[in-house]
Amino acid sequence: MSRPGALVIGAGPAGLMAAQELAQAGCRVTVAEARPSVGRKFLMAGKSGLNLTKDEPEAAFLTSYGASADWLAPMLDAFGPSAVQAWARGLEQDVFTGSSGRVFPVAMKASPLLRAWLARLDALGVTRHTRWRWTGWSAEGMARFETPDGFEELFADVTVLALGGASWARLGSDGAWAQGLAERGVDIATFAPSNAALDVKWSPHMAPHFGAAIKSVRWHAGNLSSRGEATISERGLEGGGIYSLTPALREGAELRVDLLPDLAHDALNRRLSSRGDKARLSHWLRNGLRLPPAKVALFFEMTQGAQPLPRETWVKTLKSLPLRLTGLRPIDEAISTAGGVRQAALDDGLMLRALPGVFCAGEMLDWDAPTGGYLLTACLATGRWAGRSAARMALADPARPST
């Protein structure tokens, strides 16, 4: 009996991990990627150091997945932060843990890791096609592709879809697959930006501060908070400090910032009292509290409509400064997206209930997580889970069609 054939559509981290698992189980694996090369978003992430995972206790790690934690728990338990590090080392890529617990390759880029991974897949006999854009299935259950040589059709005993979310379309994640699956009865949650920058209409006075970082603060939105930093850009605010608050901001929560989180109200009131009754606000902020210019500018930018600000509100405003936002930046600019294939549309092995033999993995699933290694870990973990589930089905019943 010939080996069962498996098709993986999408060659990001989730798809490549699924291909690895299928090949190691004994399947003949073909990977089809729409873009001219594989792992394009993975390589883009590597330009900032490639944060592979976060080295922290399991309970704390899972909490970062919010409402999706229970769903992802078994997959992350099987392939979590320790396993990700071991996997990278197995590809002869040493890793290190930074002071924040974030784990990076020593090379601080993605390309050496990706090359080693592709070499492993080549050794396993995985076939790769690029510029093959999936367009759905034929009436006979063949996967159809637009290729440089015209239309191609492939039959597979099992198929893993790892088509990404709906951000960074130029790297391949355009969400175009959603309509086709919905037409086949798959329940799809509407895409929404995640880990997104904020749109702020600055006054001309803020221009000198574009590019400045707002550090040593605490951001609040709804029931979420963050001590990370953000950068003032021409279009608004961006950075890890606010990205993790996107779920609350999507729901319309107000964004506030504590500009001095390490000083309590009472301590600030005492400092203000010591300046006397004639203290001027700008002088106190700059000289009394020694706030950096970007913080002072942000404070006055967000309180300009309330000038002159009553003295009795100075401390309260410093500790909870409301930020006027236009909204989130467009979805295609977001680092990741929420939405996609709902949990209810999948069985415990990540197979689509409406399409037996078709599995899904990675960002096309409806889960959400902040930056900091959580996104990549879950993509790898779901890819591994889907690949193993698909391999079990293919090896148990290699004649099963994929649609």
Side-chain angles (χ1 to χ4, degrees):
M1 181 183 297
S2 63
R3 292 187 298 160
L7 174 62
V8 177
I9 305 177
L16 294 179
M17 184 60 79
Q20 175 181 304
E21 296 300 321
L22 283 157
Q24 288 177 336
C27 296
R28 291 179 293 104
V29 183
T30 299
V31 175
E33 165 59 43
R35 307 302 295 173
S37 57
V38 306
R40 293 168 78 89
K41 196 170 181 180
F42 184 67
L43 290 171
M44 177 63 75
K47 288 188 175 182
S48 58
L50 191 64
N51 184 188
L52 286 170
T53 191
K54 182 77 175 289
D55 190 0
E56 63 183 356
E58 180 180 341
F61 190 84
L62 272 176
T63 299
S64 295
Y65 294 91
S68 303
D70 288 345
W71 180 24
L72 296 176
M75 301 172 229
L76 292 168
D77 182 61
F79 198 79
S82 296
V84 170
Q85 295 176 67
W87 165 76
R89 292 190 182 102
L91 291 170
E92 298 184 352
Q93 302 299 307
D94 289 336
V95 298
F96 72 95
T97 302
S99 58
S100 65
R102 296 185 178 193
V103 178
F104 300 88
V106 170
M108 288 299 287
K109 54 185 178 180
S111 51
L113 178 59
L114 182 59
R115 284 196 298 269
W117 197 3
L118 294 178
R120 171 182 287 180
L121 296 178
D122 289 343
L124 289 168
V126 173
T127 299
R128 295 195 307 274
H129 296 293
T130 55
R131 294 188 173 91
W132 277 40
R133 178 173 293 278
W134 178 62
T135 61
W137 290 282
S138 69
E140 296 76 25
M142 306 277 278
R144 305 192 76 230
F145 297 91
E146 292 178 354
T147 81
D149 300 319
F151 279 99
E152 295 282 350
E153 294 186 345
L154 292 179
F155 171 80
D157 298 295
V158 290
T159 299
V160 176
L161 302 178
L163 296 162
S167 64
W168 291 73
R170 66 187 178 87
L171 299 181
S173 298
D174 58 12
W177 51 265
Q179 182 177 348
L181 289 188
E183 290 171 352
R184 285 180 166 259
V186 178
D187 192 7
I188 306 289
T190 302
F191 290 115
S194 185
N195 294 294
L198 305 180
D199 198 5
V200 183
K201 302 303 181 186
W202 302 116
S203 72
H205 301 290
M206 291 299 291
H209 304 284
F210 293 162
I214 304 293
K215 302 179 180 181
S216 301
V217 295
R218 183 181 292 278
W219 311 90
H220 298 272
N223 63 352
L224 301 178
S225 67
S226 166
R227 282 295 302 260
E229 66 181 65
T231 299
I232 300 172
S233 70
E234 184 176 357
R235 296 183 297 182
L237 288 167
E238 56 189 56
I242 55 155
Y243 291 160
S244 62
L245 307 181
T246 307
L249 295 171
R250 281 199 307 261
E251 300 300 318
E254 182 182 42
L255 178 63
R256 290 178 173 266
V257 60
D258 181 348
L259 292 174
L260 289 165
D262 298 319
L263 282 175
H265 283 79
D266 290 346
L268 282 170
N269 279 319
R270 287 194 297 271
R271 290 192 180 195
L272 179 57
S273 297
S274 70
R275 310 294 291 187
D277 295 337
K278 295 183 179 181
R280 291 182 296 109
L281 177 56
S282 60
H283 189 271
W284 182 54
L285 295 178
R286 293 185 176 94
N287 300 323
L289 298 177
R290 299 189 181 279
L291 290 185
K295 279 190 179 182
V296 175
L298 183 65
F299 181 93
F300 283 114
E301 178 75 6
M302 294 300 160
T303 59
Q304 60 185 349
Q307 295 293 351
L309 198 65
R311 180 186 174 105
E312 60 270 19
T313 67
W314 292 2
V315 170
K316 179 181 178 181
T317 306
L318 275 168
K319 296 295 290 180
S320 186
L321 176 68
L323 302 181
R324 296 188 307 277
L325 312 174
T326 304
L328 299 173
R329 293 295 302 165
I331 191 170
D332 192 48
E333 296 179 14
I335 292 175
S336 60
T337 51
V341 179
R342 295 185 190 271
Q343 180 181 0
L346 300 149
D347 70 7
D348 291 341
L350 297 181
M351 184 180 74
L352 289 169
R353 299 182 189 278
L355 298 169
V358 179
F359 299 76
C360 296
E363 284 193 65
M364 67 182 296
L365 304 179
D366 182 23
W367 55 272
D368 199 2
T371 57
Y374 304 104
L375 290 168
L376 185 51
T377 298
C379 285
L380 294 169
T382 57
R384 178 179 181 272
W385 193 268
R388 290 195 165 195
S389 299
R392 284 194 294 270
M393 171 173 281
L395 295 169
D397 184 6
R400 180 185 295 272
S402 61
T403 59

PDB file of all heavy atoms in Angstrom, residues 151-176:
ATOM      1  N   PHE A 151      -3.886  26.343 -14.143  1.00  0.00           N
ATOM      2  CA  PHE A 151      -4.575  25.676 -13.045  1.00  0.00           C
ATOM      3  C   PHE A 151      -4.003  24.280 -12.808  1.00  0.00           C
ATOM      4  O   PHE A 151      -3.690  23.552 -13.745  1.00  0.00           O
ATOM      5  CB  PHE A 151      -6.080  25.568 -13.341  1.00  0.00           C
ATOM      6  CG  PHE A 151      -6.840  26.822 -13.035  1.00  0.00           C
ATOM      7  CD1 PHE A 151      -7.166  27.709 -14.043  1.00  0.00           C
ATOM      8  CD2 PHE A 151      -7.212  27.119 -11.726  1.00  0.00           C
ATOM      9  CE1 PHE A 151      -7.854  28.874 -13.766  1.00  0.00           C
ATOM     10  CE2 PHE A 151      -7.909  28.282 -11.441  1.00  0.00           C
ATOM     11  CZ  PHE A 151      -8.226  29.175 -12.465  1.00  0.00           C
ATOM     12  N   GLU A 152      -3.873  23.948 -11.535  1.00  0.00           N
ATOM     13  CA  GLU A 152      -3.448  22.608 -11.126  1.00  0.00           C
ATOM     14  C   GLU A 152      -4.466  22.062 -10.135  1.00  0.00           C
ATOM     15  O   GLU A 152      -5.091  22.818  -9.384  1.00  0.00           O
ATOM     16  CB  GLU A 152      -2.069  22.659 -10.460  1.00  0.00           C
ATOM     17  CG  GLU A 152      -0.929  23.088 -11.351  1.00  0.00           C
ATOM     18  CD  GLU A 152      -0.451  21.967 -12.262  1.00  0.00           C
ATOM     19  OE1 GLU A 152      -0.887  20.812 -12.065  1.00  0.00           O
ATOM     20  OE2 GLU A 152       0.374  22.251 -13.153  1.00  0.00           O
ATOM     21  N   GLU A 153      -4.629  20.754 -10.127  1.00  0.00           N
ATOM     22  CA  GLU A 153      -5.508  20.090  -9.176  1.00  0.00           C
ATOM     23  C   GLU A 153      -4.754  18.967  -8.486  1.00  0.00           C
ATOM     24  O   GLU A 153      -3.975  18.253  -9.132  1.00  0.00           O
ATOM     25  CB  GLU A 153      -6.755  19.539  -9.861  1.00  0.00           C
ATOM     26  CG  GLU A 153      -7.675  20.617 -10.415  1.00  0.00           C
ATOM     27  CD  GLU A 153      -8.966  20.029 -10.968  1.00  0.00           C
ATOM     28  OE1 GLU A 153      -9.019  18.792 -11.176  1.00  0.00           O
ATOM     29  OE2 GLU A 153      -9.918  20.802 -11.202  1.00  0.00           O
ATOM     30  N   LEU A 154      -4.947  18.838  -7.169  1.00  0.00           N
ATOM     31  CA  LEU A 154      -4.290  17.792  -6.394  1.00  0.00           C
ATOM     32  C   LEU A 154      -5.313  17.072  -5.538  1.00  0.00           C
ATOM     33  O   LEU A 154      -6.195  17.694  -4.944  1.00  0.00           O
ATOM     34  CB  LEU A 154      -3.210  18.390  -5.475  1.00  0.00           C
ATOM     35  CG  LEU A 154      -1.953  18.990  -6.111  1.00  0.00           C
ATOM     36  CD1 LEU A 154      -1.047  19.531  -5.017  1.00  0.00           C
ATOM     37  CD2 LEU A 154      -1.215  17.932  -6.929  1.00  0.00           C
ATOM     38  N   PHE A 155      -5.155  15.762  -5.453  1.00  0.00           N
ATOM     39  CA  PHE A 155      -5.953  14.992  -4.503  1.00  0.00           C
ATOM     40  C   PHE A 155      -5.112  14.725  -3.262  1.00  0.00           C
ATOM     41  O   PHE A 155      -3.908  14.472  -3.353  1.00  0.00           O
ATOM     42  CB  PHE A 155      -6.406  13.661  -5.102  1.00  0.00           C
ATOM     43  CG  PHE A 155      -7.035  12.752  -4.081  1.00  0.00           C
ATOM     44  CD1 PHE A 155      -8.349  12.934  -3.688  1.00  0.00           C
ATOM     45  CD2 PHE A 155      -6.296  11.740  -3.471  1.00  0.00           C
ATOM     46  CE1 PHE A 155      -8.921  12.118  -2.731  1.00  0.00           C
ATOM     47  CE2 PHE A 155      -6.862  10.925  -2.507  1.00  0.00           C
ATOM     48  CZ  PHE A 155      -8.182  11.111  -2.136  1.00  0.00           C
ATOM     49  N   ALA A 156      -5.746  14.780  -2.104  1.00  0.00           N
ATOM     50  CA  ALA A 156      -5.048  14.455  -0.864  1.00  0.00           C
ATOM     51  C   ALA A 156      -5.973  13.652   0.037  1.00  0.00           C
ATOM     52  O   ALA A 156      -7.185  13.868   0.062  1.00  0.00           O
ATOM     53  CB  ALA A 156      -4.605  15.731  -0.149  1.00  0.00           C
ATOM     54  N   ASP A 157      -5.391  12.714   0.750  1.00  0.00           N
ATOM     55  CA  ASP A 157      -6.183  11.954   1.728  1.00  0.00           C
ATOM     56  C   ASP A 157      -6.603  12.848   2.888  1.00  0.00           C
ATOM     57  O   ASP A 157      -7.695  12.699   3.427  1.00  0.00           O
ATOM     58  CB  ASP A 157      -5.359  10.772   2.250  1.00  0.00           C
ATOM     59  CG  ASP A 157      -5.007   9.799   1.133  1.00  0.00           C
ATOM     60  OD1 ASP A 157      -5.944   9.190   0.584  1.00  0.00           O
ATOM     61  OD2 ASP A 157      -3.820   9.662   0.810  1.00  0.00           O
ATOM     62  N   VAL A 158      -5.732  13.768   3.274  1.00  0.00           N
ATOM     63  CA  VAL A 158      -6.056  14.755   4.309  1.00  0.00           C
ATOM     64  C   VAL A 158      -5.446  16.088   3.891  1.00  0.00           C
ATOM     65  O   VAL A 158      -4.450  16.136   3.165  1.00  0.00           O
ATOM     66  CB  VAL A 158      -5.515  14.354   5.701  1.00  0.00           C
ATOM     67  CG1 VAL A 158      -6.266  13.152   6.267  1.00  0.00           C
ATOM     68  CG2 VAL A 158      -4.017  14.086   5.649  1.00  0.00           C
ATOM     69  N   THR A 159      -6.053  17.157   4.369  1.00  0.00           N
ATOM     70  CA  THR A 159      -5.588  18.500   4.052  1.00  0.00           C
ATOM     71  C   THR A 159      -5.512  19.329   5.329  1.00  0.00           C
ATOM     72  O   THR A 159      -6.420  19.275   6.158  1.00  0.00           O
ATOM     73  CB  THR A 159      -6.537  19.194   3.054  1.00  0.00           C
ATOM     74  OG1 THR A 159      -6.579  18.446   1.837  1.00  0.00           O
ATOM     75  CG2 THR A 159      -6.096  20.615   2.759  1.00  0.00           C
ATOM     76  N   VAL A 160      -4.430  20.081   5.483  1.00  0.00           N
ATOM     77  CA  VAL A 160      -4.321  21.044   6.578  1.00  0.00           C
ATOM     78  C   VAL A 160      -4.284  22.441   5.972  1.00  0.00           C
ATOM     79  O   VAL A 160      -3.426  22.737   5.131  1.00  0.00           O
ATOM     80  CB  VAL A 160      -3.052  20.817   7.430  1.00  0.00           C
ATOM     81  CG1 VAL A 160      -2.934  21.913   8.500  1.00  0.00           C
ATOM     82  CG2 VAL A 160      -3.080  19.444   8.079  1.00  0.00           C
ATOM     83  N   LEU A 161      -5.226  23.268   6.392  1.00  0.00           N
ATOM     84  CA  LEU A 161      -5.256  24.664   5.976  1.00  0.00           C
ATOM     85  C   LEU A 161      -4.552  25.510   7.033  1.00  0.00           C
ATOM     86  O   LEU A 161      -4.911  25.466   8.209  1.00  0.00           O
ATOM     87  CB  LEU A 161      -6.695  25.154   5.802  1.00  0.00           C
ATOM     88  CG  LEU A 161      -7.576  24.382   4.802  1.00  0.00           C
ATOM     89  CD1 LEU A 161      -8.983  24.981   4.792  1.00  0.00           C
ATOM     90  CD2 LEU A 161      -6.970  24.413   3.417  1.00  0.00           C
ATOM     91  N   ALA A 162      -3.561  26.265   6.613  1.00  0.00           N
ATOM     92  CA  ALA A 162      -2.846  27.169   7.519  1.00  0.00           C
ATOM     93  C   ALA A 162      -2.656  28.482   6.780  1.00  0.00           C
ATOM     94  O   ALA A 162      -1.549  28.865   6.413  1.00  0.00           O
ATOM     95  CB  ALA A 162      -1.505  26.567   7.936  1.00  0.00           C
ATOM     96  N   LEU A 163      -3.780  29.165   6.547  1.00  0.00           N
ATOM     97  CA  LEU A 163      -3.839  30.281   5.610  1.00  0.00           C
ATOM     98  C   LEU A 163      -3.685  31.649   6.254  1.00  0.00           C
ATOM     99  O   LEU A 163      -3.781  32.666   5.564  1.00  0.00           O
ATOM    100  CB  LEU A 163      -5.167  30.218   4.840  1.00  0.00           C
ATOM    101  CG  LEU A 163      -5.302  28.965   3.966  1.00  0.00           C
ATOM    102  CD1 LEU A 163      -6.750  28.713   3.595  1.00  0.00           C
ATOM    103  CD2 LEU A 163      -4.454  29.107   2.713  1.00  0.00           C
ATOM    104  N   GLY A 164      -3.458  31.693   7.563  1.00  0.00           N
ATOM    105  CA  GLY A 164      -3.222  32.968   8.221  1.00  0.00           C
ATOM    106  C   GLY A 164      -4.488  33.745   8.490  1.00  0.00           C
ATOM    107  O   GLY A 164      -5.602  33.320   8.177  1.00  0.00           O
ATOM    108  N   GLY A 165      -4.302  34.912   9.095  1.00  0.00           N
ATOM    109  CA  GLY A 165      -5.429  35.773   9.429  1.00  0.00           C
ATOM    110  C   GLY A 165      -5.723  36.757   8.314  1.00  0.00           C
ATOM    111  O   GLY A 165      -5.746  36.397   7.141  1.00  0.00           O
ATOM    112  N   ALA A 166      -5.940  38.032   8.696  1.00  0.00           N
ATOM    113  CA  ALA A 166      -6.349  39.019   7.697  1.00  0.00           C
ATOM    114  C   ALA A 166      -5.540  40.304   7.811  1.00  0.00           C
ATOM    115  O   ALA A 166      -6.032  41.379   7.484  1.00  0.00           O
ATOM    116  CB  ALA A 166      -7.837  39.312   7.834  1.00  0.00           C
ATOM    117  N   SER A 167      -4.305  40.207   8.289  1.00  0.00           N
ATOM    118  CA  SER A 167      -3.453  41.392   8.339  1.00  0.00           C
ATOM    119  C   SER A 167      -2.165  41.120   7.565  1.00  0.00           C
ATOM    120  O   SER A 167      -1.782  39.975   7.374  1.00  0.00           O
ATOM    121  CB  SER A 167      -3.117  41.765   9.787  1.00  0.00           C
ATOM    122  OG  SER A 167      -2.352  40.764  10.419  1.00  0.00           O
ATOM    123  N   TRP A 168      -1.515  42.189   7.133  1.00  0.00           N
ATOM    124  CA  TRP A 168      -0.294  42.092   6.349  1.00  0.00           C
ATOM    125  C   TRP A 168      -0.542  41.278   5.065  1.00  0.00           C
ATOM    126  O   TRP A 168       0.134  40.294   4.780  1.00  0.00           O
ATOM    127  CB  TRP A 168       0.846  41.462   7.161  1.00  0.00           C
ATOM    128  CG  TRP A 168       1.328  42.335   8.268  1.00  0.00           C
ATOM    129  CD1 TRP A 168       0.679  42.604   9.435  1.00  0.00           C
ATOM    130  CD2 TRP A 168       2.532  43.089   8.309  1.00  0.00           C
ATOM    131  NE1 TRP A 168       1.413  43.471  10.205  1.00  0.00           N
ATOM    132  CE2 TRP A 168       2.565  43.776   9.534  1.00  0.00           C
ATOM    133  CE3 TRP A 168       3.609  43.238   7.427  1.00  0.00           C
ATOM    134  CZ2 TRP A 168       3.606  44.612   9.897  1.00  0.00           C
ATOM    135  CZ3 TRP A 168       4.651  44.060   7.792  1.00  0.00           C
ATOM    136  CH2 TRP A 168       4.639  44.740   9.013  1.00  0.00           C
ATOM    137  N   ALA A 169      -1.530  41.731   4.298  1.00  0.00           N
ATOM    138  CA  ALA A 169      -1.915  41.000   3.085  1.00  0.00           C
ATOM    139  C   ALA A 169      -0.746  40.827   2.124  1.00  0.00           C
ATOM    140  O   ALA A 169      -0.644  39.812   1.434  1.00  0.00           O
ATOM    141  CB  ALA A 169      -3.063  41.728   2.389  1.00  0.00           C
ATOM    142  N   ARG A 170       0.168  41.801   2.095  1.00  0.00           N
ATOM    143  CA  ARG A 170       1.281  41.703   1.155  1.00  0.00           C
ATOM    144  C   ARG A 170       2.209  40.539   1.486  1.00  0.00           C
ATOM    145  O   ARG A 170       3.002  40.106   0.643  1.00  0.00           O
ATOM    146  CB  ARG A 170       2.071  43.008   1.119  1.00  0.00           C
ATOM    147  CG  ARG A 170       2.795  43.356   2.402  1.00  0.00           C
ATOM    148  CD  ARG A 170       3.420  44.755   2.313  1.00  0.00           C
ATOM    149  NE  ARG A 170       4.094  45.155   3.528  1.00  0.00           N
ATOM    150  CZ  ARG A 170       5.348  44.874   3.824  1.00  0.00           C
ATOM    151  NH1 ARG A 170       6.077  44.161   2.975  1.00  0.00           N
ATOM    152  NH2 ARG A 170       5.894  45.280   4.937  1.00  0.00           N
ATOM    153  N   LEU A 171       2.104  40.016   2.720  1.00  0.00           N
ATOM    154  CA  LEU A 171       2.910  38.859   3.099  1.00  0.00           C
ATOM    155  C   LEU A 171       2.129  37.554   2.963  1.00  0.00           C
ATOM    156  O   LEU A 171       2.659  36.483   3.240  1.00  0.00           O
ATOM    157  CB  LEU A 171       3.414  39.021   4.533  1.00  0.00           C
ATOM    158  CG  LEU A 171       4.309  40.241   4.787  1.00  0.00           C
ATOM    159  CD1 LEU A 171       4.751  40.276   6.244  1.00  0.00           C
ATOM    160  CD2 LEU A 171       5.522  40.231   3.866  1.00  0.00           C
ATOM    161  N   GLY A 172       0.856  37.663   2.538  1.00  0.00           N
ATOM    162  CA  GLY A 172       0.086  36.464   2.274  1.00  0.00           C
ATOM    163  C   GLY A 172      -1.141  36.264   3.136  1.00  0.00           C
ATOM    164  O   GLY A 172      -1.989  35.424   2.818  1.00  0.00           O
ATOM    165  N   SER A 173      -1.275  37.001   4.233  1.00  0.00           N
ATOM    166  CA  SER A 173      -2.432  36.817   5.125  1.00  0.00           C
ATOM    167  C   SER A 173      -3.507  37.836   4.774  1.00  0.00           C
ATOM    168  O   SER A 173      -3.565  38.923   5.351  1.00  0.00           O
ATOM    169  CB  SER A 173      -2.007  36.978   6.590  1.00  0.00           C
ATOM    170  OG  SER A 173      -1.058  36.010   6.954  1.00  0.00           O
ATOM    171  N   ASP A 174      -4.363  37.483   3.830  1.00  0.00           N
ATOM    172  CA  ASP A 174      -5.390  38.429   3.388  1.00  0.00           C
ATOM    173  C   ASP A 174      -6.800  38.019   3.789  1.00  0.00           C
ATOM    174  O   ASP A 174      -7.759  38.750   3.534  1.00  0.00           O
ATOM    175  CB  ASP A 174      -5.318  38.640   1.876  1.00  0.00           C
ATOM    176  CG  ASP A 174      -5.471  37.338   1.084  1.00  0.00           C
ATOM    177  OD1 ASP A 174      -5.863  36.314   1.678  1.00  0.00           O
ATOM    178  OD2 ASP A 174      -5.192  37.356  -0.136  1.00  0.00           O
ATOM    179  N   GLY A 175      -6.952  36.851   4.410  1.00  0.00           N
ATOM    180  CA  GLY A 175      -8.273  36.405   4.853  1.00  0.00           C
ATOM    181  C   GLY A 175      -9.228  36.055   3.732  1.00  0.00           C
ATOM    182  O   GLY A 175     -10.423  35.831   3.978  1.00  0.00           O
ATOM    183  N   ALA A 176      -8.732  35.982   2.493  1.00  0.00           N
ATOM    184  CA  ALA A 176      -9.616  35.741   1.355  1.00  0.00           C
ATOM    185  C   ALA A 176     -10.274  34.368   1.407  1.00  0.00           C
ATOM    186  O   ALA A 176     -11.309  34.143   0.770  1.00  0.00           O
ATOM    187  CB  ALA A 176      -8.833  35.898   0.049  1.00  0.00           C
TER     188      ALA A 176
END
